[in-house]
Amino acid sequence: KAGVTQTPRYLIKTRGQQVTLSCSPISGHRSVSWYQQTPGQGLQFLFEYFSETQRNKGNFPGRFSGRQFSNSRSEMNVSTLELGDSALYLCASSFRTNNNEQFFGPGTRLTVL
Amino acid sequence: QKEVEQDPGPLSVPEGAIVSLNCTYSNSAFQYFMWYRQYSRKGPELLMYTYSSGNKEDGRFTAQVDKSSKYISLFIRDSQPSDSATYLCAALSGGYQKVTFGTGTKLQVIP
């Protein structure tokens, strides 16, 4: 079974731009969660989508948004990028209600200049 | 105060040593406790999870949860250089709830 895939793997943007990241979950998994990982703050939860509906949300500003498609693939968007948005963005998938068994993708490394 | 606290290390041990990694948490509603391993430039990989208090063993790894003291531990026996990674503890209150992670402990096993 293929694992979680994320595209692109690396991205360089400038302040004020917007970015869209993509995540394809493991086949059969319907839940996709997004996390931001930085050296100082560690892994911070952004949001989770299940069956195209946002099920949980973290404490991030409205510039961070996401969506999920009918095939469970998910995208997250960050508008008006700030220097502090530079981070590794990870997505994780799980089967239905099993968030205790999440499987992570390799992440997208976003650098904001 | 973070809901899940973890000593960032780094922790350096000689090959073959027993490693003890620890976390504390503050949310009494947490019921599931997980340990992830993250190699450099990779996503976290689930090692094991436990439900409520008790021990769980998987090969060289043992996870322990003490809900009375809100303490989570991971023990690695016969540590190997390939165990060198960052170890993240995590917790959640219900299967469909959001997961809260510790900041991770960097472990180096020296040959």
Side-chain angles (χ1 to χ4, degrees):
Chain A
K1 212 182 233 186
V4 178
T5 58
Q6 291 187 246
T7 56
R9 292 293 312 278
Y10 302 91
L11 208 47
I12 299 175
K13 292 285 188 179
T14 56
R15 277 184 302 174
Q17 287 187 307
Q18 75 162 14
V19 67
T20 299
L21 312 181
S22 180
C23 172
S24 292
I26 291 172
S27 177
H29 284 191
R30 292 166 62 188
S31 169
V32 174
S33 297
W34 288 90
Y35 296 87
Q36 181 194 67
Q37 187 174 36
T38 58
Q41 297 296 316
L43 262 168
Q44 291 188 282
F45 174 76
L46 281 156
F47 30 67
E48 179 199 2
Y49 286 87
F50 178 78
S51 292
E52 302 178 67
T53 301
Q54 189 178 84
R55 184 159 73 175
N56 290 299
K57 189 177 188 310
N59 298 320
F60 277 81
R63 299 185 297 107
F64 292 82
S65 63
R67 60 178 176 168
Q68 187 179 34
F69 302 96
S70 57
N71 61 357
S72 294
R73 190 177 70 84
S74 177
E75 288 182 346
M76 68 162 279
N77 183 278
V78 188
S79 62
T80 319
L81 284 166
E82 300 178 359
L83 295 179
D85 297 334
S86 294
L88 180 67
Y89 289 88
L90 292 156
C91 101
S93 76
S94 60
F95 182 64
R96 296 205 303 187
T97 60
N98 296 32
N99 280 347
N100 49 303
E101 290 186 281
Q102 288 188 325
F103 297 86
F104 282 82
T108 294
R109 172 74 61 185
L110 172 64
T111 302
V112 183
L113 303 176
Chain B
Q1 183 195 7
K2 287 181 180 287
E3 285 189 295
V4 179
E5 300 271 9
Q6 188 173 7
D7 188 331
L11 180 63
S12 287
V13 301
E15 183 176 352
I18 296 175
V19 176
S20 172
L21 302 166
N22 307 295
C23 293
T24 58
Y25 65 94
S26 58
N27 188 341
S28 300
F30 286 152
Q31 295 189 75
Y32 293 92
F33 304 91
M34 294 79 73
W35 283 97
Y36 284 83
R37 176 176 64 195
Q38 186 174 21
Y39 291 114
S40 182
R41 302 187 182 281
K42 302 279 188 184
E45 169 195 12
L46 178 65
L47 285 173
M48 57 203 308
Y49 73 88
T50 55
Y51 175 73
S52 194
S53 282
N55 293 359
K56 188 172 185 179
E57 188 174 320
D58 184 1
R60 296 185 295 112
F61 298 88
T62 299
Q64 198 172 76
V65 176
D66 182 346
K67 292 194 78 179
S68 63
S69 58
K70 296 189 176 67
Y71 204 78
I72 315 165
S73 299
L74 179 71
F75 299 97
I76 308 174
R77 291 185 300 281
D78 188 25
S79 56
Q80 303 295 310
S82 58
D83 295 328
S84 298
T86 296
Y87 289 80
L88 300 151
C89 62
L92 77 162
S93 56
Y96 54 88
Q97 297 298 323
K98 72 179 184 79
V99 181
T100 302
F101 282 84
T103 49
T105 298
K106 189 169 184 178
L107 171 68
Q108 184 179 20
V109 180
I110 302 167

